[in-house]
């Protein structure tokens, strides 16, 4: 019932809109024009040459006019004739002292409205697209990442060092008095799946500071110059939320060596790198902002971008050793039912050269195979 009423209301509104447009644009066709009598154009022209036309209105293919012989109100037209569309008509009317009014036709007004609608629609799409691509909400500020150092196996020396760095971030003035500044950037290099992203999230939790995650694809856009604008947006937000950690994953996706080949892709990459250089140079020694970037290859990055003073520390995140693999296996097996004969030591030896993500994925696959076989617990045969 409600849908029917809604449809009826919409139909009535549409009909009313059509009638309103018809009244506005086509008053003559609806009988709303002034009552006039037709005069041949030759007679009209003769009256014009004799100076007997007092006022005229050019309205599309019609000319409404009033001869001087008619004693009527000034605002009324008594006669109508065809518009010859002569290029000299308007000038001749003025030269003969005629009060001339030019009315735009309904088609012209309708065309103007369509043009206006097109421009509003076009620029509206552009504005919406730009708001989407450079929205202030592009980069979220995470207050609680839900990950701590207890969730990360290994990297003990790095954990201690980074906790010292975050202490400087929280109390910059105390350390500045001792001549100590916090590093501006930390570069984490390592193969995929070894915990670089997890470490950055845990660092924010342990440091009790804000965390702004970003990745290389966040700076990509179909429009030129959007990437550099997003870089500026990211660091502007970081300054407002200091102390905070800005984490850029897949850093080699936007920080590659600049290539001045002239192609659009390389030009955009150069602009992004230049924007990063400007933002990192704009930090004060104790601004409370730490940039942590993760990359699979430092060799691919622009040398000016990763020099000391911008990224003061480079940390290699290696594949886990035996002890770390053993801890990882025990941690991942904790919530996965397994047979008593499954040995964490054997699994740790088997996973030599594997990343933390590969170990977790393999154990999850073993549990899935056991479930598909109708068993609650997995065994080593599900792995090897």
């Amino acid at each position: 019932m409600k849908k029917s009423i809604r449809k009826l209301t919409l139909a009535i509104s549409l009909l009313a809109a059509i009638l309103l447009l018809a009244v506005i644009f086509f008053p003559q066709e609806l009988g709303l024009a002034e009552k006039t009598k037709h005069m041949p154009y030759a007679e009209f022209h003769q009256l014009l040459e004799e100076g007997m036309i007092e006022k005229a209105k050019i309205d599309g293919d019609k000319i409404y006019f009033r001869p001087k012989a008619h004693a009527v109100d000034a605002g009324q037209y008594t006669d109508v004739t065809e518009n010859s569309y002569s290029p000299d008509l308007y000038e001749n009317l003025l030269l003969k002292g005629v009060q001339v009014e030019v009315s735009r036709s309904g088609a012209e007004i309708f065309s103007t409205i369509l043009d206006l609608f097109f421009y509003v629609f076009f620029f509206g799409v552009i504005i919406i697209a730009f708001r989407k691509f450079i929205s202030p909400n592009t980069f979220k500020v995470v207050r609680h990442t839900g990950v701590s150092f207890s969730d990360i196996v290994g990297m003990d020396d790095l954990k201690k060092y980074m906790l010292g760095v975050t202490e400087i971030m929280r109390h910059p003035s105390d350390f500045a008095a001792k001549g100590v500044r916090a590093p501006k950037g930390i570069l984490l290099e390592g193969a995929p799946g070894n915990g670089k992203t997890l470490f950055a999230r845990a660092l924010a939790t342990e440091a009790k500071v804000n965390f702004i995650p970003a990745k290389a694809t966040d700076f990509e856009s179909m429009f030129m110059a959007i990437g550099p604008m997003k870089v500026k947006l990211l660091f502007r937000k970081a300054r407002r939320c200091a102390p905070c950690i800005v984490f850029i994953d897949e850093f080699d996706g936007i920080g590659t060596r600049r290539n001045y080949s002239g192609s659009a892709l390389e030009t955009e990459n150069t602009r992004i790198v230049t924007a990063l250089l400007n933002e990192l140079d704009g930090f004060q020694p104790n601004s409370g902002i730490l940039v942590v970037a993760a990359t699979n290859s430092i060799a691919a990055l622009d040398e000016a971008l990763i020099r000391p003073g911008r990224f003061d520390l480079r940390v290699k995140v290696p594949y886990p050793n035996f002890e770390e693999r053993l801890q990882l296996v025990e941690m991942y097996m904790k919530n996965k039912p397994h047979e008593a004969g499954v040995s964490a030591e054997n699994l740790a030896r088997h996973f030599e050269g594997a990343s933390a993500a590969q170990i977790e994925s393999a154990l999850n696959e073993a549990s899935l195979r056991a479930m598909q076989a109708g068993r609650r617990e997995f065994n080593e045969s599900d792995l090897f």
Side-chain angles (χ1 to χ4, degrees), residues 109-327:
I109 297 175
F110 191 66
S111 176
T112 302
I113 292 176
L114 283 180
D115 290 341
L116 181 62
F117 176 78
F118 170 77
Y119 286 120
V120 170
F121 176 78
F122 176 77
F123 287 109
V125 169
I126 295 297
I127 292 171
I128 291 172
F130 268 78
R131 284 182 62 85
K132 179 180 178 182
F133 286 119
I134 58 173
S135 168
N137 297 322
T138 300
F139 303 103
K140 301 289 186 180
V141 179
V142 181
R143 310 293 179 182
H144 306 286
T145 64
V147 181
S148 64
F149 280 165
S150 60
D151 299 308
I152 299 177
V153 173
M155 305 187 204
D156 294 331
D157 292 338
L158 180 60
K159 291 176 184 176
K160 293 178 182 178
Y161 176 83
M162 293 307 299
L163 286 176
V165 170
T166 55
E167 188 66 23
I168 300 175
M169 291 172 59
R170 290 199 303 270
H171 307 287
S173 57
D174 296 343
F175 287 87
K178 302 176 183 178
V180 178
R181 71 165 178 87
K184 294 181 180 180
I186 308 293
L187 199 57
L188 304 178
E189 181 191 23
N194 278 333
K196 300 185 293 294
T197 302
L198 192 67
F199 179 84
R201 292 170 57 195
L203 176 61
T205 298
E206 298 290 344
K208 298 178 182 178
V209 297
N210 293 321
F211 181 70
I212 306 179
K215 52 186 180 298
T217 52
D218 290 335
F219 302 93
E220 295 176 355
S221 172
M222 62 184 295
F223 297 107
M224 293 290 288
I226 293 295
M229 291 178 68
K230 285 189 174 182
V231 171
K232 295 177 182 179
L233 175 65
L234 171 63
F235 286 98
R236 190 181 304 126
K237 179 171 285 190
R239 291 185 180 93
R240 291 199 304 266
C241 299
C244 74
I245 293 173
V246 175
F247 175 66
I248 305 177
D249 201 4
E250 305 163 1
F251 194 51
D252 42 296
I254 59 171
T256 53
R257 296 175 183 273
R258 285 168 287 180
N259 186 337
Y260 300 95
S261 64
S263 68
L265 185 61
E266 294 297 342
T267 300
E268 182 71 354
N269 176 73
T270 299
R271 288 174 176 172
I272 291 175
V273 172
T274 303
L276 284 168
L277 293 174
N278 293 336
E279 293 298 333
L280 290 171
D281 280 342
F283 285 178
Q284 298 299 320
N286 295 286
S287 63
I289 301 173
L290 175 66
V291 179
V292 179
T295 179
N296 298 330
S297 174
I298 286 182
L301 297 175
D302 192 276
E303 293 181 358
L305 186 61
I306 59 175
R307 69 162 174 79
R310 293 191 177 111
F311 284 91
D312 298 293
L313 181 65
R314 301 180 184 181
V315 178
K316 183 77 174 179
V317 181
Y319 286 103
N321 56 31
F322 176 78
E323 293 297 328
E324 291 168 348
R325 292 197 303 275
L326 181 59
Q327 294 179 52

Side-chain angles (χ1 to χ4, degrees), residues 322 325 329 333 338-339 341-352 354 358-359 361-367 369-370 375 378-384:
F322 176 78
R325 292 197 303 275
V329 169
M333 286 175 55
H338 54 277
E339 295 181 359
V342 177
S343 170
E345 288 81 1
N346 289 340
L347 295 183
R349 291 188 184 93
H350 172 76
F351 287 129
E352 184 176 0
Q358 288 172 327
I359 294 172
S361 179
L363 292 172
N364 187 70
E365 182 69 21
S367 297
R369 288 177 181 173
R375 292 180 280 110
F378 74 85
N379 53 43
E380 291 189 2
S381 65
D382 295 315
L383 283 163
F384 312 134

